[in-house]
Amino acid sequence: MQKREKIYEGKAKIIYTTDDADLLIQYFKDDASAFDGKKKGSIREKGILNNGISSRIFLYLEEQGIKTHFIKKLSDREMLVRNLKIIPVEVVVRNVIAGSLSKRMGIAEGAPLKDTILEFYYKSDELGDPMLNEDHIRVFELATKEEVEILKDQAQKINDLLLAFLSERGIRLIDFKLEFGTNKDGIFLGDEITPDGCRLWDKETNEKMDKDRFRRDLGKIEESYQEVSRRICES
Ligand code: UDP
């Protein structure tokens, strides 16, 4: 499958059309950004590691009955995916307090939650991804009520599956962000599942193994992505 026209270039990925209108190629770059693009950098071989990590996780989710946009890994940095109309709502799933939730509630990172929390954010770089509730999503017609129910159900199922998958590999899933899209066959999980959009802590030491190392200048950034890749892709 050959790349044709570049139709989108984001912070971490480029999307190309193919000869088949139903399929796109997702290309993973090494670029990294944080704080709404205010911090920019590059993580060596991140594109290769993230393509491998995301491919392995999508394959696992598909095996477990989750509909994803993943068709196959094409090369080091490319995966073939379904062409989806992206729903402009980011779904964040939280198992442990961290990041913006820690700030908003004034509770230290690492404190356990008595239940999983789902949050919605409007996918808008200009507005800095503001938080949404279900009324905002419905009234501004970002998604229908039925679609929101599917997003919630899928996010919970994906969380359960990923918690188990990562735990077996010595990784605690603290929180993560999902994006979904639609085509004529329904709603599919899109985008990527990588240390760029998940908080992953080592099960033994609680050491951060994700993009917080870049956001917070914690060092050992490449090494952490490599370690996540090793644990996920080599088993
Ligand atoms: N996240 C993301 N993209 C975003 C915002 C958040 O992938 O635009 C991920 C982030 O990596 C973390 C989770 O969603 O795993 C929750 O992020 P949080 O709301 O704590 O915001 P942050 O601390 O990243 O500003």
Side-chain angles (χ1 to χ4, degrees):
M1 191 64 74
Q2 288 296 309
K3 296 201 281 283
R4 293 299 174 205
E5 196 191 337
K6 187 203 280 195
I7 51 168
Y8 170 81
E9 177 156 6
K11 288 161 269 186
K13 296 189 294 293
I14 307 175
I15 306 292
Y16 296 91
T17 57
T18 67
D19 291 333
D20 184 336
D22 293 331
L23 300 176
L24 298 173
I25 289 174
Q26 180 159 264
Y27 176 97
F28 287 77
K29 304 195 289 183
D30 288 347
D31 296 352
S33 72
F35 312 120
D36 294 324
K38 287 192 259 307
K39 182 181 171 102
K40 285 198 177 75
S42 172
I43 301 172
R44 193 168 35 85
E45 304 212 322
K46 174 168 80 78
I48 298 172
L49 298 167
N50 277 359
N51 188 33
I53 293 167
S54 209
S55 295
R56 176 74 183 89
I57 291 180
F58 279 138
L59 204 60
Y60 162 71
L61 292 175
E62 284 279 343
E63 282 165 8
Q64 302 297 319
I66 301 293
K67 283 162 65 170
T68 82
H69 70 159
F70 180 74
I71 307 275
K72 64 176 175 178
K73 188 175 169 207
L74 293 175
S75 67
D76 266 7
R77 290 177 182 272
E78 294 167 339
M79 65 164 72
L80 187 65
V81 297
R82 293 185 168 83
N83 187 358
L84 302 179
K85 185 167 177 286
I86 295 294
I87 297 171
V89 173
E90 299 186 348
V91 183
V92 167
V93 184
R94 299 182 181 277
N95 297 305
V96 175
I97 294 183
S100 68
L101 181 62
S102 158
K103 282 208 191 78
R104 199 176 324 118
M105 299 304 291
I107 304 175
E109 279 202 324
L113 289 166
K114 73 171 193 188
D115 201 359
T116 304
I117 292 178
L118 287 190
E119 295 171 352
F120 302 109
Y121 292 87
Y122 184 28
K123 193 172 153 56
S124 164
D125 284 341
E126 306 89 81
L127 301 175
D129 297 351
M131 197 193 251
L132 301 167
N133 68 23
E134 290 185 41
D135 278 348
H136 296 123
I137 296 175
R138 184 175 48 81
V139 174
F140 291 107
E141 297 183 348
L142 304 178
T144 65
K145 224 175 160 167
E146 293 70 31
E147 285 172 335
V148 171
E149 287 310 312
I150 296 174
L151 298 192
K152 284 162 56 179
D153 177 67
Q154 290 296 290
Q156 292 283 4
K157 286 192 173 122
I158 293 165
N159 186 44
D160 291 342
L161 289 166
L162 289 182
L163 279 169
F165 179 87
L166 293 168
S167 179
E168 282 168 20
R169 290 157 179 81
I171 298 173
R172 292 179 70 198
L173 178 60
I174 304 302
D175 58 30
F176 60 102
K177 186 257 302 179
L178 298 173
E179 293 185 26
F180 294 86
T182 57
N183 69 11
K184 60 180 175 14
D185 299 318
I187 296 187
F188 292 77
L189 175 65
D191 196 44
E192 63 179 75
I193 299 186
T194 67
D196 276 7
C198 302
R199 286 199 168 89
L200 306 170
W201 295 1
D202 182 86
K203 216 165 134 178
E204 301 293 319
T205 65
N206 275 330
E207 202 174 39
K208 297 184 198 318
M209 307 174 76
D210 54 59
K211 204 166 87 176
D212 274 345
R213 300 205 74 85
F214 168 78
R215 290 189 190 99
R216 303 178 190 185
D217 294 319
L218 299 176
K220 290 199 297 181
I221 306 171
E222 282 91 359
E223 290 85 342
S224 296
Y225 276 68
Q226 275 159 10
E227 180 59 17
V228 171
S229 165
R230 192 188 64 74
R231 293 192 198 180
I232 287 178
C233 301
E234 292 176 17
S235 63

